[in-house]
Amino acid sequence: MIRKLIIAAVLVPAVWFGTAAMHFPPIFQKMFVGYVLLGLTVFLLLDAPPLPAFTGWKALVVLIGFYAVLSAIYIGGASFLPQYDPTVEKGKIDKIVKPKMETPDARKAKLEEMVKKSEELQAKTATLLAGLEKLAPSVPEGGKPGGGAQAVSAGSGDMIARGMEVYDLHECYNCHKIGGKGSVKKRGPILDNIGNLLTQDDIKKKIFDPTYLYADGFEKEHKKGLMPDKYKELMSDEEVSALAAYLATLKNQAVETPKPVFVKSRVDHGFIVYGYVRDKAGKPIPDLPILAKPLKEGRESHEGKTNKEGYYEIFLHIHNEDSGTKIVVSAKDAKKEITATYNPEDKVTKRQAAVDLVL
Ligand code: HEC
């Protein structure tokens, strides 16, 4: 009996730590240890002195009693374990799945309603225009005040209403503010004056490719990729055009919408040098003019400026055939020369080089 106890005393920790090393969940570890203990009990029982033999009806009572005790232990023990209520579990699953299931349907219904509305409006405009045409056939084509050179086409009112709907539908207001409404946490820029800063075309490009430009003062958010780049997949051309048309009408100069900074042009039309300028102690130097000069005839130099973090980015117009061109980057009396090498066939990888300067 002592020997059996010793074996169990060795086995229990061995099984416990062995299963832990194999990354079994704790409940399994406990189960394995339980089996060891069960085995121990069985072996100990084998050592027990034999009971007197039962015969006749006594044997029957003892047998039934034995099963009754065993069943009581099992049922009683099991009721201590966590119980699963299928209705509760179903409720939980529904909670997760339902919103996902409903959204596309709800969206579709919303969209259909919008399309209908816009069709109705279009019909109305057409009749109105026809009426106008009758009244004043010689009205010259003209833009709205403030509309600039852009001709305002017949459906533009609809288009702008539709753009507002797209703005709501895609929840741009989660991060942007227009007319004082929207994002409370200032995740993204206020857009009230965006029409004075970006063309419709640039707005479209920004929505479909957020890396296309960034709002001044939002470099960090831009680097983190805060503005989602999912709209290209989610929006139709019609939607993005309407949205851009709407945003381009926002020209409230009283509100400070940050200037756009263009970072991306077509890959094969440029090369970006970027980096940090710091002093010898490693402190960033802000607001420092910095010049990037390609050492090739006919290729223009460009100037940039470091931001608060001492970071700068300069876009140079050098083309496919210019691979191998040397570029001198300089600020004050610090200077570095690099060679812009890239594969002219590769139209995807960004062409750029990091150049850090120490003053
Ligand atoms: C999760 C937040 C978020 C959402 C949602 C979002 N944006 Fe942005 N957006 C930003 C941030 C942050 C910036 C500034 C950094 C940058 O330009 O990348 C920005 C910048 C912009 C700019 C440039 C503003 C400027 O002053 O140059 C435009 C335009 C814009 N967003 C339009 C939209 C539109 C339209 C939608 C909806 C389809 C949208 N955004 C949805 C976060 C968001």
Side-chain angles (χ1 to χ4, degrees), residues 30-49:
K30 284 178 199 155
M31 211 171 69
F32 286 127
V33 170
Y35 286 139
V36 174
L37 295 179
L38 190 68
L40 174 71
T41 344
V42 170
F43 280 110
L44 286 180
L45 273 178
L46 288 178
D47 285 343

Side-chain angles (χ1 to χ4, degrees), residues 167 170-172 174-176 187-189 191 194 197-198 203 206-207 210 213-215 218 221-222 226-228 231 235 243 247 257-260:
Y167 183 86
H170 287 275
E171 299 171 346
C172 311
N174 272 335
C175 301
H176 295 289
R187 292 196 183 103
L191 296 177
I194 196 72
L197 301 170
L198 287 175
I203 294 174
K206 170 71 181 168
I207 296 168
L213 59 84
Y214 68 87
F218 283 85
E221 287 82 355
H222 185 73
L226 206 64
M227 175 140 164
Y231 300 117
M235 274 187 209
L243 181 53
L247 292 176
T257 295
K259 271 198 327 278

Side-chain angles (χ1 to χ4, degrees), residues 8 28 44 63-64 99 125 130 136 173 178 180 184 200 203 208 212 216 223 255 259 262 294 316 332-333 352 356:
F28 278 84
L44 286 180
L63 189 68
I64 292 174
T125 334
Y173 55 74
I178 294 176
V184 244
Q200 280 192 32
I203 294 174
F208 272 4
Y212 175 64
D216 201 15
K223 290 244 155 63
V255 176
K259 271 198 327 278
F262 291 85
L316 292 170
K332 277 199 183 151
D333 45 1
Q352 57 185 23
D356 293 341

